[in-house]
Amino acid sequence: MGRHPIGVHVGPGLTDDGELEDGGPLARAAEMDADGVQVFLTDPQSYKNPKPRPDQADLLASDVVVVVHAPYMLNVATTNNRIRVPGRKLLAAHASAAAAIGAAGLVVHGGHVLAEDDPAVGVDNWRKTFAYQEKDGGFPLPLLIENTAGGGNAMARDLDAVDRLFDAVGDHGAGFVLDTCHAWAAGWDLATVVDDVRARTGRIDLVHLNNSRDPHGSSRDRHAPLADGEIPTELLLEVARAADCPIVLETPGDAASHAAEISLLRTALGG
């Protein structure tokens, strides 16, 4: 990825029949003057494997940065074999499909273990996910683990948990996605969050720059527009400046509002 392209989450961009919806993600990017798009390859609540996209060649040929988000319910940390093992296979399938469209990375939530489980087991399950995949040549693109908003036994809700997780997976090439709404909901200090995260992970590969509808420490994951939420807009802009990396907006709104947010960010980041 370049230094800090600005993208917008646009969902699959496909109809239920697998056809391009409203021109697909590239048309959406052009409409918003975005440098990038974040897409799903399937329904985000589905365990189905991704199918080849009708816009694969166009995505590969485009200079628009593409990021893929894995399904939300995918959880490779859990001790539940019926969820973890299919999750590993699904993660590998999404990674292959994301690489096939030239994606710069695959975003995946940190997941969690059950209340009665030791979180250390979840951390080791993440390590095993990378170790098992390396037997097949590894993931074909960067896997970017995202911090989450709630859950006491979550792998990436608390900074200390992130520290433990990256001690286990950092040497396997795992990247990190900082979601500002999730960090705010988890009670992190956004004034120092970039340094706090990098002290534990050594990196921030992508920022999901989202405002929040709820107070600090609420554990609620409800995104708000960049300039209309509980997080001061200037604080969000400071996070973007400090992180100095690609950004994806997952804020609610239409094309015009997203175009305005992109313009605001470009100005704040010096173009």
Side-chain angles (χ1 to χ4, degrees), residues 126-127 130-131 134 143 145 162-175 200-203:
W126 257 112
R127 181 194 61 78
F130 281 95
E134 284 164 4
L143 212 64
I145 301 174
V162 170
D163 197 0
R164 290 189 292 271
L165 179 59
F166 271 77
D167 276 348
V169 303
D171 289 343
H172 294 276
R200 291 159 171 85
T201 66
R203 61 197 292 169

Side-chain angles (χ1 to χ4, degrees), residues 142-229:
L143 212 64
L144 310 178
I145 301 174
E146 179 180 354
N147 63 299
T148 50
N153 278 353
M155 297 296 99
R157 181 193 188 272
D158 300 321
L159 285 165
D160 287 348
V162 170
D163 197 0
R164 290 189 292 271
L165 179 59
F166 271 77
D167 276 348
V169 303
D171 289 343
H172 294 276
F176 188 80
V177 181
L178 170 61
D179 186 301
T180 53
C181 175
H182 297 175
W184 175 265
W188 297 8
D189 184 353
L190 293 192
T192 61
V193 70
V194 170
D195 288 341
D196 292 342
V197 168
R198 284 195 175 129
R200 291 159 171 85
T201 66
R203 61 197 292 169
I204 296 175
D205 299 83
L206 178 69
V207 172
H208 282 167
L209 200 67
N210 305 310
N211 212 320
S212 173
R213 292 167 56 188
D214 296 292
H216 188 250
S218 67
S219 295
R220 295 177 183 170
D221 178 15
R222 298 197 303 169
H223 297 185
L226 211 55
D228 186 20

